[in-house]
């Protein structure tokens, strides 16, 4: 019978080692990013003289976006770029009032002399990737800018990004940093901004500085058309077509430029079902892309450091599987600790889960200070713990997505609903799912971890109390918001 508790501790310990490795990777990227920020900023490339700006295609992939379709068309129509060198494609796969709204705005700007087209397909084959690929069949422009429906690019976006391509013929992508139009709308949007800022202010900066692979983020960036074609075009076999094409292009030798100083503002999901649909795509798509490209990466001629960092990058989403396994094992571990006193030292070592998260404190703190340099320090610890708790609460949802991705199970591309400036009434136009079995199970898990918390108090063993507190709050919050936002 002793073998079972020992096995429990061993598996739990292996999970801790994985978390520690994940955290160490984030710590490394933080150090690299700080070195990048400490270096003299590169001079912006010179802009071409008038009449020598290259032709640019702006693609706007849409699917049922009546809340924001007019906003994104208006924003791209206002781009400050030579009108004879610019064409806007509204790639509209919609089945609702979006079609009429888009057609009206396109006709309005076309009547003013803007080169703009409303592109419709007979089916939604390949979802976003299929729409982007279809649009390229009708155009041969040298550069392609892509904006999702929730973005509002600044008028000088193209004038600030295109010169990077003209400076270096090997540049295949210029990616910009996402801004947040509605960061202060709710606690949910503030937490999302907190996490996204770490990606855009630390991860992308650190990887770029070290010469590691980065990823086009699906929107808010520009591609060289020759790079897309050379890498094989848009594929439809993953839910993260952006990450997939990014790796194929960089394996072909194309260079990616990331400019955090150029910001593309966008809307954050403000309701839980929208956030979950986005998280599902990102985590499942990352697993699908890892399954597709890890072998190619290790068979390539890339330096070992690049291969290792790419492996860490592609397996990022796997952390949710490990967190979920740790969480499930942690409750019986409370009872094993209480019964098997001869293994007390081993159990105490296993319970020090916070060691694995320590580098994350540094990672997110650095991003938080870069994003909000004037906020008082005392506000960070509580906000970080709340972010960590909510992230743990998403572990079941995201772990399921990762497992489906590794299994190769095909699932549809579920759009992330946007509300624009209309608030909750407009959000209810689109739903990505009701309160299903998974949501109910998240509620059950909140009770399960609360039971583990109570058991630790009962046995006067507080080693796992911080972990169970975060898990209880996290799963209870996810369950609460999932139910509340589906009323």
């Amino acid at each position: 019978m002793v073998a079972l508790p020992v096995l429990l501790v061993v598996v739990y310990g292996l999970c801790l080692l994985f978390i520690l490795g994940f955290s160490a990777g984030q710590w490394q990227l933080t150090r690299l990013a700080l070195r990048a920020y400490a270096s003299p900023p590169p001079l912006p490339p010179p802009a071409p003289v008038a009449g020598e700006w290259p032709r640019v295609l702006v693609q706007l992939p849409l699917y049922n976006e009546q809340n924001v379709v007019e906003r994104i068309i208006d924003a791209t129509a206002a781009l400050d770029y030579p009108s004879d060198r610019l064409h806007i494609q509204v790639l509209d796969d919609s089945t609702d009032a979006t079609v009429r709204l888009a057609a009206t705005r396109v006709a309005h700007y076309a009547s003013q002399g803007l080169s703009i087209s409303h592109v419709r397909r007979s089916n939604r084959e390949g979802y976003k990737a299929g729409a982007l690929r279809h649009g390229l069949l009708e155009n041969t422009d040298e550069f392609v800018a892509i904006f999702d429906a929730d973005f509002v690019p600044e008028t000088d976006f193209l004038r600030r990004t295109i010169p990077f391509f003209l400076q270096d013929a090997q540049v295949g992508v210029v990616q910009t940093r996402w801004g947040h139009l509605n960061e202060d709308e709710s606690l949910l949007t503030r937490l999302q901004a907190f996490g996204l800022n770490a990606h855009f202010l630390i991860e992308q900066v650190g990887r770029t500085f070290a010469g590691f692979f980065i990823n086009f983020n699906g929107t808010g960036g520009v591609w060289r058309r020759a790079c897309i074609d050379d890498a094989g075009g848009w594929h439809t076999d993953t839910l993260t077509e952006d990450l997939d094409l990014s790796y194929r292009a960089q394996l072909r030798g194309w260079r990616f430029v990331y400019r955090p100083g150029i910001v593309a503002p966008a809307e954050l999901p403000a309701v839980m079902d929208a956030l979950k649909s986005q998280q599902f795509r990102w985590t499942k798509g990352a697993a699908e892309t890892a399954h597709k490209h890890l072998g190619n990466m290790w068979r390539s001629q890339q330096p070992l450091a690049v291969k290792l960092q790419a492996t860490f990058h592609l397996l990022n989403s796997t952390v949710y599987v490990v967190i979920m396994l740790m969480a499930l094992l942690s409750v019986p571990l409370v009872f094993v600790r209480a019964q098997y006193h001869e293994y007390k030292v081993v159990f105490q070592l296993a319970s020090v889960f916070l060691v694995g998260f320590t580098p994350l404190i540094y990672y997110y703190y650095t991003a938080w200070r870069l994003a909000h340099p004037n906020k008082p320090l005392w506000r960070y610890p509580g906000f970080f713990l709340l972010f960590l708790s909510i992230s743990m609460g998403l572990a079941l949802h995201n772990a399921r997505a990762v497992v489906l991705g590794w299994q190769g199970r095909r699932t549809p591309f579920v759009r992330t609903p946007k509300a624009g400036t209309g608030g909750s009434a407009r959000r209810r136009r689109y739903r990505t799912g009701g309160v299903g079995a998974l949501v109910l199970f998240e509620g059950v898990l909140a009770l399960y971890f609360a039971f583990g918390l109570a058991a630790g108090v009962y046995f006067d063993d507080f080693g796992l109390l911080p972990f169970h507190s975060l898990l209880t709050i996290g799963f209870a919050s996810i369950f609460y918001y999932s139910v509340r936002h589906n009323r």
Side-chain angles (χ1 to χ4, degrees), residues 251 291-302 307:
L251 284 169
H291 185 266
K292 181 177 181 179
H293 288 302
L294 269 179
N296 297 332
M297 170 57 67
W298 281 96
R299 287 189 292 269
S300 73
Q301 299 302 311
Q302 298 292 329
K307 293 179 179 179

Side-chain angles (χ1 to χ4, degrees), residues 394-447:
L394 284 167
L396 175 65
H397 177 271
N398 288 352
R400 173 177 174 270
V402 171
V403 171
L404 290 174
W406 279 103
Q407 289 177 339
R409 298 268 297 276
R410 300 303 297 271
T411 54
F413 185 105
V414 179
R415 56 180 291 286
T416 302
K418 297 99 181 175
T421 57
S424 60
R426 301 185 76 182
R427 290 190 191 104
R428 283 194 286 272
R429 290 173 175 171
Y430 300 114
R431 288 298 188 201
T432 58
V435 180
L438 192 69
V439 172
L440 296 177
F441 193 41
E442 287 169 340
V444 170
L445 284 175
L447 297 175

Side-chain angles (χ1 to χ4, degrees), residues 16-32 202 212 309 312 316 319 355-363:
L16 282 173
L17 287 176
F18 183 94
I19 294 295
L20 184 59
F22 172 82
S23 299
Q26 304 293 63
W27 179 85
Q28 180 199 27
L29 289 176
T30 307
R31 300 298 298 172
L32 290 170
I202 301 297
F212 298 147
Q309 182 58 226
F312 166 71
N316 259 350
V319 73
V355 172
F357 289 95
T358 301
L360 291 180
I361 299 173
Y362 177 55
Y363 166 74

Side-chain angles (χ1 to χ4, degrees), residues 26-162:
Q26 304 293 63
W27 179 85
Q28 180 199 27
L29 289 176
T30 307
R31 300 298 298 172
L32 290 170
L34 289 174
R35 287 173 57 190
Y37 287 120
S39 302
L43 295 174
V49 298
E52 293 185 3
W53 287 93
R55 296 191 62 84
V56 176
L57 169 68
V58 176
Q59 291 188 311
L60 310 178
L62 305 175
Y63 176 68
N64 292 352
E65 300 287 6
Q66 60 177 305
N67 293 341
V68 294
V69 58
E70 294 172 304
R71 184 180 68 184
I72 180 57
I73 294 176
D74 290 344
T76 50
L79 287 169
D80 178 19
Y81 200 78
S83 59
D84 62 330
R85 305 286 175 145
L86 179 68
H87 179 71
I88 299 173
Q89 273 185 346
V90 181
L91 303 172
D92 187 7
D93 287 348
S94 302
T95 58
D96 66 357
T98 304
V99 179
R100 174 180 53 80
L101 294 171
T104 300
R105 299 311 289 166
V106 168
H108 168 74
Y109 287 110
S111 69
Q112 296 183 353
L114 183 66
S115 178
I116 185 170
S117 57
H118 187 203
V119 181
R120 300 275 293 155
R121 297 192 294 165
S122 59
N123 59 64
R124 204 185 167 207
E125 181 181 355
Y127 305 107
K128 179 181 175 180
L132 295 172
R133 184 172 61 192
H134 178 79
L136 292 179
L137 296 176
E138 303 184 1
N139 184 277
T140 59
D141 289 348
E142 188 176 357
F143 299 101
V144 184
I146 300 172
F147 298 103
D148 284 349
D150 52 329
F151 275 68
V152 186
E154 302 288 348
T155 56
D156 63 351
F157 182 89
L158 293 177
R159 288 189 179 271
R160 297 182 68 187
T161 53
I162 294 299

